[in-house]
Amino acid sequence: MMLHPDNISKRYAGIIPQLHALGYTCMLKGSDSDQVCIMRIGRADTVDIFNDSTWRRRDGMQGATPQELLDLMKTERSHEVEHHLRHRDLRALAQDALNAQGIAVTGVRAIRILVDGSMEADVFLHTGRPQTMSIEKNWDATCRQWRADLIH
């Protein structure tokens, strides 16, 4: 049984807030070809969503449900956090720490490490507005815990 395309689009649109919380920008657009819609996820390949509710990313990854797509993005995000920790990428870690706190930051323009070990970061929120935010001094532990939470 095939789902009505509007229902399929709604199901995939339902994971967009969770993708934003991971720090991804995301758009869902209708399509004129085989797919019901196309999902563009920042830092990841475009995802084609088909009439039977399956999806295929243009890099070859594929799945059957919106939850499988979300799970893939969480796994990839956990690998990014691990990379940021290993390479001590402070701008990326600032974004990771804020995303871990539920703040939908999509980019970090600049950071400042303060004398107490905390950070201030000039960030772009999902809404596109730049803002300066404070990050507690235990930001590395926050990132490590978030990484562990993403893979479980």
Side-chain angles (χ1 to χ4, degrees), residues 13 20 30 35 42 49 72 76 85 104 110 112 116 119 138:
H20 287 164
Q35 320 82 302
I49 301 166
L72 172 67
E76 289 184 352
L85 286 162
R112 289 166 297 291
D116 67 355
M119 282 191 220
N138 63 346

Side-chain angles (χ1 to χ4, degrees), residues 8 68 73 123 133:
I8 294 170
E68 287 180 17
M73 299 310 298
V123 302
M133 304 195 87

Side-chain angles (χ1 to χ4, degrees), residues 134-147:
S134 296
I135 303 166
E136 294 179 13
K137 65 181 175 183
N138 63 346
W139 46 267
D140 54 340
T142 300
C143 293
R144 287 181 202 292
Q145 182 59 53
W146 189 49
R147 181 192 170 277

Side-chain angles (χ1 to χ4, degrees), residues 12 47-50 52-57 59-70 72:
Y12 280 88
V47 179
D48 297 311
I49 301 166
F50 299 97
D52 62 357
S53 192
T54 61
W55 57 269
R56 184 178 62 235
R57 224 167 52 174
D59 67 356
M61 299 296 291
Q62 57 189 3
T65 66
Q67 185 61 49
E68 287 180 17
L69 177 58
L70 181 60
L72 172 67

Side-chain angles (χ1 to χ4, degrees), residues 1 11 36-37 43 46 48 67 69 74 81 124 133-134 139 141:
M1 179 177 132
R11 288 178 54 211
V36 172
C37 51
R43 298 191 316 265
T46 298
D48 297 311
Q67 185 61 49
L69 177 58
K74 283 181 178 180
V81 176
F124 291 100
M133 304 195 87
S134 296
W139 46 267

Side-chain angles (χ1 to χ4, degrees), residues 15-27:
I15 67 170
I16 290 175
Q18 293 161 297
L19 291 168
H20 287 164
L22 292 173
Y24 292 110
T25 58
C26 186
M27 287 189 332

Side-chain angles (χ1 to χ4, degrees), residues 31-42:
S31 175
D32 295 332
S33 59
D34 296 355
Q35 320 82 302
V36 172
C37 51
I38 297 170
M39 185 177 268
R40 290 189 186 359
I41 303 172

